[in-house]
Amino acid sequence: MRKTVLAALIAEMLLPLGAYAQTAGEPIDPSAKVVVSGVRASLASSLATKRLQEGVVDAVSAEDAGKFPDTNIAESLQRVTGVQIQRNNGEGRYISVRGLGPEFNNVLVNGRTMTSDTGGRDFSFDLLSSDLISKAIVYKTSMPFLPEGGIGSTVDIQTARPLSGKAGHSGVVNVFDSYDSNSKKNTPNVSGMYSFANENKTFGVTGSLSYTDRASKQNKAINDAWNLRDVYMIDGDLNSKGLTMANVTSKKLLMPQSFGYQQENETRKRLVSNVTMQYNPSPDWKLTADALYSRLNQRNDVIAISDWNNPVQLGVKYDSNNQVTSFMRPGANFFANNPALVGDGTGILTDANSNDMIVKGGDRLSITKAFGLNAKWNVSPEWKLEGDISNSRTTTKTPDQWIVAGMVPNNGDTLTFGSIPSLSFGDGITDPNAVRAHAVSNKDVRFSDELSEGRMNASWAHEIGAFKGLDTGVAYSQRKVGRNQWESDSWNAFSGYHVALPSSLFTVKSLDNAFPGAPASYLSFDPYAYMNYLNQPSTLALSNDPALYLDKTKFPNGPMAIDYTKPNFWSVKEKVSSIFLDSKWEGERWSANAGVRVVHVNSTSTGISRVLLSATKSPNDTTYILNYGPAVETSVDNSYSSVLPSGNLKFDLTDDMVLRLAASKTETRPTLNQMGVDNWYGGRFGDVQTGGGNPYLKPMESKNLDLSYEWYLSKTNFLGAAIFQKKVSNFLERRLEDITIPQYSEVVHDTRIRNGQKGKIKGIELAGQYAFDNGIAWLRGFGVAANYTFVDASASRDDAAALDCGYPGLSKQSYNASLFYENETFSARVSYNWRNKFAVDCGGGSTQPRTRAAYGQYDLSLRYNITPKIALYLDGINLSNSRMHEYANNESQFLTLEDVGRRVNAGLRFAF
């Protein structure tokens, strides 16, 4: 009776009686029934997985082969309670769980760690196609058998297994078109899966192939940072003449570093294939072999129109928080009319403000290859053994370019900063005859990540009262992450805007009307044609140091060319040995496990880089000309051991109610690309910056407590609540510290990952799903699923100025809700996902934090079954056309507004 009452109450709340309501006396057809397929089948399978686990677990399941709920795995996981995602140009790439960012979540594929294309441990979900996935399990509490590393969670992505399905031949083919509303382009996509199992289910093979193609366009308004710095304020306007230093005052203010507009045209082509073979010659032995291949080719054509804001400006206005709100940028006319202010040893104006066109290279070619072999033996009724070996390798090639051409306007620009800044250009920015050369950074960056691991587990089932047995195992892994970087030595060759460029290098292009006040058009250029022009001897004769840059012994191919004889290289090799022991216990209406995992880690960080000998101020710009010595190799060793106990207790309160308690200690090892020995140098006068790796990082540790209540109303319907607490220490985050080094005569801002804070994360999760299959006829076919997560965190940092930043990646609140309907031929689901603001990073020193504003998005999925084997489908992503917004400490400190548009996929699915 309580379930019937609950159904009626949910119906009253979610779908008020009205035009669609059944009349009070209308009879219910007892023969009517709802087919358990589509959304229902996926929810039921996920719920069954959750109920059977010892710990707190959530899952997303495919209804059938090739029918994972979304085209992107991360976008499906965002509907799991406590899971939030971060998008890359509108597509889910990373996940956060219970407020902890992607680097704190361990991602496995078939129980094995996968290498990454980021140079770290954070896994890129856009490398995999959802077509080959059968289930994704999110472990929120620790179990001794799980590989260590997931303070937030451990996610196990499971691919299809041939012997888990039916005997004989089967398969599915998906063909769909993807449309992007910003680029207004259609791109083809196709995927297929084939599975075979013999009649006796002793041999089977599954193969899948997926090709996706996406063309997109992103429009952005961008300010790089807010910095607390000494701002020199000139009392006057753009038409002032004869001003002197008496008209200048200074004050320490929060100053925007830059402002401009950016357009990114992107193509993303992904090929993913997977083969699984299983051999099961007897009930006591099963052998499984896997191979996976993924190739993602992401090409970005990025151009930015930007004003760089020097700390010397006209008519500066600021608010009561000492935050700059508006100013005018002096142009060439102001320089000519006010010679007493020009930097000749007494003045403060070192160079005219410029309007820059910046090409940013962000291509990404990632290739992943993974192989694995697993064997399971039932040695006896009490003993089971499992052995697993695997290898995974990812290589990534990323051209890294920051190539600047600019104009020095005669008239100055006016900038006003608020929730969305405005920029008024004093001169036109589409005159190709007015462009001058400036800074060039041209790099070739390549990552490699290779991991080999093996494990042997044993299970002993033996009853002695409440004791039911032991699980134990040993594991060993060896992982090496490396980055090779080669670059040109060209940054300061032409910095300063003193060399005019031919108009033939530039093309006028239209800028989408994405933001109010943005210019209608801009100048685009081919970065390679631009660099080839600068690399000519006749042009190099006009550079900042012709004798240096024309020297063929130092620049045999010119300073614009990448010098592959001078590598900047780092690598981190990590060896991990572990052993676990887990005891099993069970009594009347309860079960438990208690165990421990012991881990020992050895790491070696190695780097080859050039030593900075000196830094000299550039004569035509506010940057430094850097003089490097020969390449030097450095190596640093580190090691540590960890003891990680965990326990889970499960009570069956009733036949359909479960209470779970869990306690554990977990850790997340430093991301490998954070542990390099490399250093880089940059910045300008008054804002010198350096950074790099930190080979002495310690693992982050957390002591965890969980309490979960689950009410299983039926195979599909569910209500649940959980509370959790994590006491963290040695938290890893990017922090800025001010240091002194002999190469510079001023303070240097050093930014790198450091162990810093400790604190507490605690939260509550609420979840429910309900399919109206019985009781109310007019609701039959409808269903709802929703969840809510609240996370509260406190931190204790060494940097007192950053105490209010919170934990990077942690949203205080998040929720998602889905309403679905389905019958034998048609299904529909609309979902809304929302997360509160969160810190992207906490800044430090003079730089303010970066905060991402609250974000919500509507998605839609429609399916129509033409026949039991053929279906049409339509998916809409970001139907609300939501935009990503970032700011610093408050919304008036604007950083980024990103428009990615809507995406629609329409396709046809064939099953056989």
Side-chain angles (χ1 to χ4, degrees), residues 789-906:
T789 303
F790 175 84
V791 181
D792 187 27
S794 59
S796 174
R797 286 184 171 87
D798 296 334
D799 182 1
L803 285 177
D804 295 332
C805 173
Y807 291 89
L810 188 148
S811 290
K812 196 164 189 175
Q813 299 183 77
S814 64
Y815 65 84
N816 64 77
S818 297
L819 173 65
F820 62 87
Y821 172 81
E822 62 184 346
N823 57 30
E824 293 84 347
T825 59
F826 175 74
S827 68
R829 183 191 65 198
V830 59
S831 300
Y832 182 71
N833 299 275
W834 181 89
R835 66 179 300 183
N836 207 190
K837 68 178 183 179
F838 66 93
V840 178
D841 65 61
C842 289
S846 63
T847 301
Q848 299 303 294
R850 175 174 289 268
T851 304
R852 187 164 297 178
Y855 181 88
Q857 174 175 309
Y858 281 101
D859 300 325
L860 174 70
S861 178
L862 302 175
R863 299 288 186 273
Y864 178 73
N865 298 322
I866 301 174
T867 73
K869 299 290 187 181
I870 302 175
L872 289 169
Y873 60 91
L874 180 72
D875 295 324
I877 297 95
N878 193 24
L879 294 180
S880 50
N881 199 24
S882 299
R883 296 178 173 186
M884 186 274 288
H885 176 208
E886 291 184 345
Y887 54 88
N889 269 325
N890 58 73
E891 292 195 16
S892 66
Q893 295 177 348
F894 176 90
L895 289 173
T896 300
L897 185 62
E898 177 184 83
D899 170 53
V900 299
R902 302 175 178 89
R903 181 159 38 107
V904 178
N905 298 328

Side-chain angles (χ1 to χ4, degrees), residues 223-229 252-257 321-323 734 736 751 799 801-802 805 839-851 887-890 893-895:
N223 166 32
D224 290 327
W226 284 82
N227 299 309
L228 184 64
R229 60 194 310 177
K252 191 172 287 294
L253 298 172
L254 284 167
M255 179 78 175
Q257 183 169 296
N321 297 317
N322 290 328
Q323 176 181 314
R734 187 172 301 279
L736 187 151
T751 303
D799 182 1
C805 173
V840 178
D841 65 61
C842 289
S846 63
T847 301
Q848 299 303 294
R850 175 174 289 268
T851 304
Y887 54 88
N889 269 325
N890 58 73
Q893 295 177 348
F894 176 90
L895 289 173

